[in-house]
Amino acid sequence: MTTLPAPTPAIPTTTTAEPPSNSDKKDASITSTLGFPATASSSTAELARLTLALREALRQFPDFPAPGVLFEDIMPIFADASMHESLIRALEICCLHGCWPGGRAPDVIVGLDARGFLFGPSLALRLGVGFVPVRKKGKLPGPTVTAGYMKEYGEDFFQIQAASIKEGQNVLIVDDIIATGGSAAAAGSLVRQSGGNLLGYVFILELDFLKGRDKLDVPVHTLLSKQLSG
């Protein structure tokens, strides 16, 4: 994939697939530009500060893994304990103050193979909820649920262990980057096939020119939108 010249860093963004119904308005209240309730202004300010620091911690590698690709390296965040804590805190704010349908909080965090595993369990622990991994086909033991998605050179498959999500549990899906949105949509299908209630998605970074969020039919939060040119 190729990148486009990008403007100044953007503040965290959110979208909602459909306008809230009258029954949702009471729960959602008035929202700020970050998609958070207006009463969460202190958290909004904290999140803006954290995302600036996280943006500065990223490294970029042009033409990796292929010519024309600008690779975003999140590993420096995990190499520094303070930055790692900043990431978990920023994600925590998104999970607790994001305008999820009906104002509901997550019961389960689902992380995608593989970088979603780097921070998904820590985030779930911080929130006091369970963590469930979504893995590539053939990597999980026992009965599984499967969903396919298209990649550049063909179809790939995600799986989740059967019964890892209980009927009616509220679920948030997390991953490092949303690009074309295919793998995220497949993970959402797994949650629904398992009987979970998919609240939305939270990503660290968004390659917004690829319009991946257009494939997702629930709210999407990203800490860092608009990839900066190297």
Side-chain angles (χ1 to χ4, degrees), residues 84-107:
H84 192 174
E85 166 60 30
S86 293
L87 172 64
I88 299 304
R89 175 55 183 158
L91 293 168
E92 178 188 17
I93 293 172
C94 281
C95 291
L96 293 179
H97 296 291
C99 291
W100 310 119
R104 288 166 288 192
D107 302 308

Side-chain angles (χ1 to χ4, degrees), residues 207-223:
L207 306 184
D208 59 340
F209 61 91
L210 293 175
K211 303 186 184 302
R213 64 170 63 212
D214 292 348
K215 295 182 180 178
L216 309 178
D217 60 356
V218 291
V220 177
H221 284 278
T222 58
L223 294 182

